[in-house]
Amino acid sequence: METVEKKQTQTAIMDSELSEQIKAATKDSHVRAENTELMLSYQRGRVSLQQYQLLLCSLYKIYEALEEALDTNASHDAVAPIYFPQELARLESIGKDLEYFYGQSWREKLTVPAATLRYAQRLREVGRDHPEYLVAHAYTRYLGDLSGGQVLGRITQKSLGLKSGEGLSFFSFPGVSSPNLFKQLYRSRMNSVELTEEQRSGVLQEAVTAFELNIQVFNELQESLSGPSDTDTEMRQRHTQCKHNSTTTTTTTTTTDDEACEGLQSSSSLMPRFLRTLLGVFVVLAVGMAYAF
């Protein structure tokens, strides 16, 4: 009985439009990501400058690979209908944000987890060997940016106090006057792509892969950042010492020590929240596409 129902579901998926097929094919991955504590923790956490900078670094490497592959395959039959560089390209915007925070030498300061590099490598492999699979990756990323990413932009701006909008270029789409109308156009273009049954199955599997690659990114961050490290313990000890010192020094020295202690206390106390929030950011960006339908 279960096998029959599964076959019926698969048949229904293959008979629907590509956008609906991707939604159905990624349902389990979406639910798995959405029902983690990470998704909820972002909403009740606060975005720190550290978090945002690290997020931008990973997004830069991901979009560098994605947009390089899209540009190379712009005339491909499956890519041409969904190729909107003027409206959607993110790489230049992310670069502006990184320069704002890190200065002109920002490229030398990029820090990303190995999972991000694997994600970028997969995008390059797809661009080289299966350009039609780019449909799944572009759809997942760009429509996610236009949906969940807009909420993240407002949260980030408020949390970091970026009133002028500087450092928030990633969230801005000046070439898209109406996100909802553009998403309708994008889905229509994507649904018009002609694919063989084998290619269509490959695109659907790649959409699942896109979710998994995002999940791997924040899982790897969780493994590397969760739990108190020796550095955390040392920082707490230094903070305790700083509090003692600040009560026994001169006024000038006390001011300096207090500032240092504040930095240590902030870094130490924000680490758990930092982890939860950063991983939540990746979840929202990964599953944002689900809310674009």
Side-chain angles (χ1 to χ4, degrees), residues 138-151:
Y139 188 45
T140 301
R141 289 246 55 95
Y142 289 127
L143 291 201
D145 295 340
L146 281 170
S147 302
Q150 298 305 295
V151 175

Side-chain angles (χ1 to χ4, degrees), residues 154-291:
R154 291 191 291 271
I155 293 174
T156 303
Q157 182 175 21
K158 181 178 180 180
S159 298
L160 300 184
L162 300 173
K163 298 180 180 179
S164 65
E166 292 181 301
L168 296 168
S169 297
F170 169 68
F171 302 107
S172 177
F173 290 82
V176 178
S177 57
S178 172
N180 288 333
L181 290 178
F182 184 84
K183 284 184 287 187
Q184 291 177 18
L185 170 63
Y186 193 97
R187 287 194 295 271
S188 176
R189 290 286 193 90
M190 189 179 72
N191 290 334
S192 72
V193 173
E194 296 184 3
L195 299 169
T196 66
E197 184 174 343
E198 181 180 1
Q199 289 175 327
R200 187 172 292 261
S201 295
V203 168
L204 297 182
Q205 180 56 50
E206 195 65 28
V208 175
T209 298
F211 266 91
E212 294 304 317
L213 287 169
N214 278 281
I215 291 173
Q216 287 174 22
V217 169
F218 57 73
N219 276 348
E220 189 162 305
L221 285 170
Q222 183 174 27
E223 292 173 4
S224 63
L225 297 176
S226 62
S229 64
D230 292 339
T231 301
D232 294 330
T233 302
E234 181 183 353
M235 288 176 66
R236 292 191 187 98
Q237 292 173 344
R238 289 173 60 190
H239 172 57
T240 301
Q241 184 63 38
C242 278
K243 288 182 67 177
H244 174 72
N245 290 343
S246 65
T247 62
T248 59
T249 54
T250 63
T251 302
T252 302
T253 304
T254 298
T255 302
T256 302
D257 285 348
D258 285 345
E259 291 174 352
C261 288
E262 276 185 18
L264 289 172
Q265 184 180 30
S266 177
S267 298
S268 178
S269 63
L270 280 178
M271 182 56 70
R273 182 178 294 165
F274 162 73
L275 173 62
R276 294 195 303 270
T277 307
L278 178 61
L279 301 187
V281 169
F282 277 111
V283 174
V284 174
L285 290 177
V287 304
M289 59 163 289
Y291 302 102

Side-chain angles (χ1 to χ4, degrees), residues 37-110:
E37 180 63 24
L38 306 178
M39 186 74 160
L40 299 176
S41 67
Y42 179 78
Q43 297 301 325
R44 58 177 182 259
R46 292 186 301 174
V47 181
S48 74
L49 181 59
Q50 254 188 326
Q51 296 163 18
Y52 186 48
Q53 288 173 334
L54 186 57
L55 172 63
L56 288 173
C57 288
S58 279
L59 288 176
Y60 184 85
K61 300 304 293 185
I62 291 169
Y63 278 101
E64 180 181 47
L66 175 60
E67 294 181 359
E68 176 184 301
L70 289 171
D71 291 343
T72 300
N73 295 281
S75 60
H76 188 278
D77 289 344
V79 176
I82 52 93
Y83 184 62
F84 292 93
Q86 297 300 318
E87 292 83 359
L88 297 177
R90 299 288 84 205
L91 192 62
E92 183 177 348
S93 296
I94 299 172
K96 289 180 180 178
D97 292 338
L98 289 168
E99 183 173 355
Y100 173 76
F101 291 115
Y102 289 111
Q104 294 185 348
S105 60
W106 60 268
R107 286 183 176 82
E108 302 171 7
K109 302 175 183 177
L110 290 179

Side-chain angles (χ1 to χ4, degrees), residues 73 76 78-79 125-135:
N73 295 281
H76 188 278
V79 176
E125 290 173 356
V126 165
R128 181 184 66 242
D129 302 329
H130 296 283
E132 67 274 13
Y133 292 0
L134 290 172
V135 172

